[in-house]
Amino acid sequence: MNKTELHKLLNLEVNSGSPTFIIYSEKSSTRLAYVSKFIFEHVLKVNVSVTDSVSEFENSSFFKINYSEKTIGNTFRIAPNGLLFETGVSEKRPKTVLKDQIVYFFENVNSIVLSGLDYDVFSAAFYFISRYEEWQSFEKDVHGRFEAKASILFQNNLHLKPVVDIWIQELKQALKKTYPAIKFPENKFKVISTIDVDNLYAYKEKGFLRTVGAMCKDVLKGDVNNLNRRTRVLKNKENDPFDIYSSVSEFCADKKIPLIYFFLFRTGNKYDRTVDPGSKAFIEVFERIKKRAAFVGLHPSYYSSTNKDLLKEEVNNFSDQSKETVKLSRQHYLRFDIKTTPLLLIENGIAADFTMGFASDVGFRAGTSFPFYYYDLGSEQQKDLLFVPFCVMDGAYFVYDKADPNKMLKSISDLVKEVKKVNGLFISVFHERTFAYHLYPGYDRIYNYLHQHINEL
């Protein structure tokens, strides 16, 4: 998958004939350039340029935004808070302002005079898509992760809304009032289904010792049903309950829903327990998936997020088995350090990472449903790695919340509606085991029902 194909999949294409905005700033700023491209290109689908030249700004025929303390004609102005002209990371948290059930940051009453906005939307968006709060100190969970309770949005009970996208829609409406002639391109709501494959099969292809050991465990636990099911699968009298690769791929192809499987490719420790990555079983599954036009990506193992050698080995092994260059990934257990993991992924050729979400709760970790590039606050540079955020993962319901299936479906439906309001990208995360009725009765029906009716919500 090349960059053009990736941008098409993620709805990141911008027509060269779309309107163009020029933003004036008294100082050049890589932060401003970064967040401007996200707001205008990724979300609003228009072109943008940033200048620190007053004459270039005044003489331009583009739609103008004055991001400075100066008054320059009757142009749309937002007063800068200062965050975008800083370097490095401060431990200072932005002040929270709640209005009309939405949270705002970097309030600036001077902006309202000419823009209709009373906050620095550029700084606010940057704080979240740069994941500034993950660069600041926070309390990690038992797996070393930035989890929901550490999020400033969660603390204000607004993690269930894509607040960054909502701010950008407010900016869009304010710009239309200033420039009535502008016609923004339509951004269409899109669904992408993703499935994390932590264990290729429940019973098959586990090798003699693991299989015998599992059968002995069934006997010792008195789990006759599981022993019988395992035996039927091994005798080819019943499909393996984790073998969902043909049926789900066909379902998504029929519904025209892009589908990505992320495969764990390491085994043998407490957290990584799948079929031997050298097994031909993976090759057979990859072939079935590709025939149905689904995509495959790597699910880097538990310790790979901080171990350069592990990640490199898994990328190489996965490429050999899949016969594809690895471009897509999501970290196993969502173990991810904003300061180090992205650089490891870039070094190993990953173009888009899908880890940006919570394990313990649902919601918008970065406040947005749109993909955004990694900004390295250590070097103050945008890097060539896309973060593709998700807002819902199945395990948040039955592992952490113990929610019943009906509550889960209602919650996901509400999140879909929130993404639809901003015409964003809805990414769902399910696991192969969730489809197994004997493990998760009631939850196994959620995936098909959700994706079958998602356009009706």
Side-chain angles (χ1 to χ4, degrees), residues 71-284:
T71 299
I72 307 176
N74 191 26
T75 57
F76 187 97
R77 182 170 74 87
I78 295 175
N81 169 273
L83 178 66
L84 302 190
F85 305 115
E86 297 175 1
T87 57
V89 179
S90 165
E91 285 298 323
K92 184 179 178 180
R93 264 67 172 178
K95 180 183 176 182
T96 301
V97 178
L98 292 171
K99 293 181 182 178
D100 300 322
Q101 298 183 319
I102 296 294
V103 66
Y104 295 94
F105 301 91
F106 303 102
E107 186 179 32
N108 190 331
V109 293
N110 294 327
S111 298
I112 198 168
V113 177
L114 288 176
S115 74
L117 302 177
D118 58 357
Y119 61 101
D120 181 353
V121 65
F122 294 129
S123 289
F126 176 82
Y127 183 81
F128 286 96
I129 67 167
S130 69
R131 301 311 303 129
Y132 199 104
E133 63 179 342
E134 295 188 42
W135 286 80
Q136 295 175 314
S137 59
F138 63 89
E139 184 179 349
K140 298 180 180 181
D141 78 347
V142 294
H143 297 291
R145 303 175 298 195
F146 177 91
E147 266 304 304
K149 69 177 183 179
S151 163
I152 194 170
L153 294 177
F154 179 86
Q155 292 161 12
N156 286 279
N157 199 31
L158 280 162
H159 60 298
L160 301 180
K161 289 181 179 291
V163 293
V164 172
D165 302 344
I166 293 171
W167 300 335
I168 295 172
Q169 292 306 311
E170 291 181 350
L171 172 64
K172 176 181 177 181
Q173 294 308 314
L175 287 166
K176 287 170 72 174
K177 287 181 180 179
T178 304
Y179 303 113
I182 192 170
K183 294 187 182 300
F184 285 95
E186 182 182 4
N187 200 357
K188 294 182 179 179
F189 168 76
K190 185 173 184 178
V191 179
I192 295 179
S193 167
T194 69
I195 296 177
D196 289 350
V197 182
D198 293 346
N199 201 336
L200 189 69
Y201 290 125
Y203 306 125
K204 292 168 57 177
E205 304 292 341
K206 296 299 178 70
F208 178 76
L209 291 179
R210 284 181 69 182
T211 299
V212 170
M215 294 178 81
C216 290
K217 187 179 292 185
D218 288 340
V219 171
L220 292 173
K221 290 169 61 178
D223 193 345
V224 178
N225 288 334
N226 202 49
L227 179 62
N228 289 338
R229 189 180 299 108
R230 187 188 307 274
T231 303
R232 289 195 300 272
V233 169
L234 294 175
K235 290 183 176 180
N236 293 319
K237 293 183 178 180
E238 183 178 315
N239 287 334
D240 191 288
F242 292 178
D243 189 358
I244 49 111
Y245 311 108
S246 295
S247 59
V248 173
S249 300
E250 288 170 0
F251 172 84
C252 286
D254 181 62
K255 300 296 177 186
K256 295 182 172 53
I257 297 174
L259 171 62
I260 308 170
Y261 294 92
F262 293 100
F263 290 91
L264 180 65
F265 228 59
R266 183 171 295 279
T267 192
N269 64 63
K270 178 180 178 180
Y271 300 105
D272 306 317
R273 304 280 295 172
T274 187
V275 170
D276 181 354
S279 169
K280 293 182 179 178
F282 277 102
I283 298 175
E284 189 272 333

Side-chain angles (χ1 to χ4, degrees), residues 409 412-414 416-417 420 449-450 453-457:
L409 185 58
I412 297 176
S413 298
D414 288 342
V416 170
K417 291 174 185 176
K420 277 191 169 184
Y449 186 88
L450 170 70
H453 297 280
I454 202 161
N455 291 322
E456 302 166 14
L457 296 173

Side-chain angles (χ1 to χ4, degrees), residues 165-448:
D165 302 344
I166 293 171
W167 300 335
I168 295 172
Q169 292 306 311
E170 291 181 350
L171 172 64
K172 176 181 177 181
Q173 294 308 314
L175 287 166
K176 287 170 72 174
K177 287 181 180 179
T178 304
Y179 303 113
I182 192 170
K183 294 187 182 300
F184 285 95
E186 182 182 4
N187 200 357
K188 294 182 179 179
F189 168 76
K190 185 173 184 178
V191 179
I192 295 179
S193 167
T194 69
I195 296 177
D196 289 350
V197 182
D198 293 346
N199 201 336
L200 189 69
Y201 290 125
Y203 306 125
K204 292 168 57 177
E205 304 292 341
K206 296 299 178 70
F208 178 76
L209 291 179
R210 284 181 69 182
T211 299
V212 170
M215 294 178 81
C216 290
K217 187 179 292 185
D218 288 340
V219 171
L220 292 173
K221 290 169 61 178
D223 193 345
V224 178
N225 288 334
N226 202 49
L227 179 62
N228 289 338
R229 189 180 299 108
R230 187 188 307 274
T231 303
R232 289 195 300 272
V233 169
L234 294 175
K235 290 183 176 180
N236 293 319
K237 293 183 178 180
E238 183 178 315
N239 287 334
D240 191 288
F242 292 178
D243 189 358
I244 49 111
Y245 311 108
S246 295
S247 59
V248 173
S249 300
E250 288 170 0
F251 172 84
C252 286
D254 181 62
K255 300 296 177 186
K256 295 182 172 53
I257 297 174
L259 171 62
I260 308 170
Y261 294 92
F262 293 100
F263 290 91
L264 180 65
F265 228 59
R266 183 171 295 279
T267 192
N269 64 63
K270 178 180 178 180
Y271 300 105
D272 306 317
R273 304 280 295 172
T274 187
V275 170
D276 181 354
S279 169
K280 293 182 179 178
F282 277 102
I283 298 175
E284 189 272 333
V285 168
F286 292 155
E287 289 175 349
R288 279 195 277 153
I289 287 171
K290 292 175 188 177
K291 283 180 182 178
R292 293 162 176 87
F295 301 97
V296 296
L298 180 64
H299 200 33
S301 65
Y302 187 87
Y303 296 103
S304 71
S305 62
T306 55
N307 188 313
K308 177 180 178 180
D309 295 333
L310 278 183
L311 183 60
K312 182 177 181 180
E313 179 184 334
E314 289 169 29
V315 167
N316 289 338
N317 289 343
F318 190 85
S319 293
D320 289 343
Q321 289 282 61
S322 67
K323 305 298 187 232
E324 287 189 5
T325 302
V326 183
K327 292 295 182 182
L328 311 178
S329 70
R330 178 185 289 125
Q331 294 295 131
H332 190 33
Y333 273 76
L334 304 186
R335 272 174 54 87
F336 184 93
D337 185 324
I338 195 69
K339 299 176 184 178
T340 57
T341 308
L343 300 178
L344 293 181
L345 295 172
I346 293 168
E347 187 177 329
N348 283 279
I350 301 298
D353 179 77
F354 289 68
T355 308
M356 192 56 63
F358 299 125
S360 62
D361 208 327
V362 296
F364 301 89
R365 178 167 166 176
T368 181
S369 62
F370 291 89
F372 52 95
Y373 278 99
Y374 172 55
Y375 190 87
D376 181 5
L377 282 164
S379 64
E380 293 292 346
Q381 291 180 333
Q382 174 183 308
K383 300 294 186 178
D384 200 18
L385 173 69
L386 272 168
F387 290 151
V388 187
F390 68 87
C391 62
V392 58
M393 185 166 71
D394 52 6
Y397 294 101
F398 51 73
V399 174
Y400 290 91
D401 191 35
K402 311 299 183 186
D404 67 58
N406 290 330
K407 181 181 177 182
M408 175 180 176
L409 185 58
K410 170 66 166 58
S411 171
I412 297 176
S413 298
D414 288 342
L415 288 164
V416 170
K417 291 174 185 176
E418 290 294 338
V419 176
K420 277 191 169 184
K421 289 177 186 176
V422 295
N423 290 319
L425 183 63
F426 181 80
I427 306 249
S428 63
V429 183
F430 283 75
H431 290 77
E432 82 294 327
R433 63 190 298 110
T434 312
F435 294 82
Y437 176 81
H438 73 286
L439 293 176
Y440 301 105
Y443 295 101
D444 60 308
R445 64 179 175 85
I446 298 293
Y447 179 91
N448 279 24

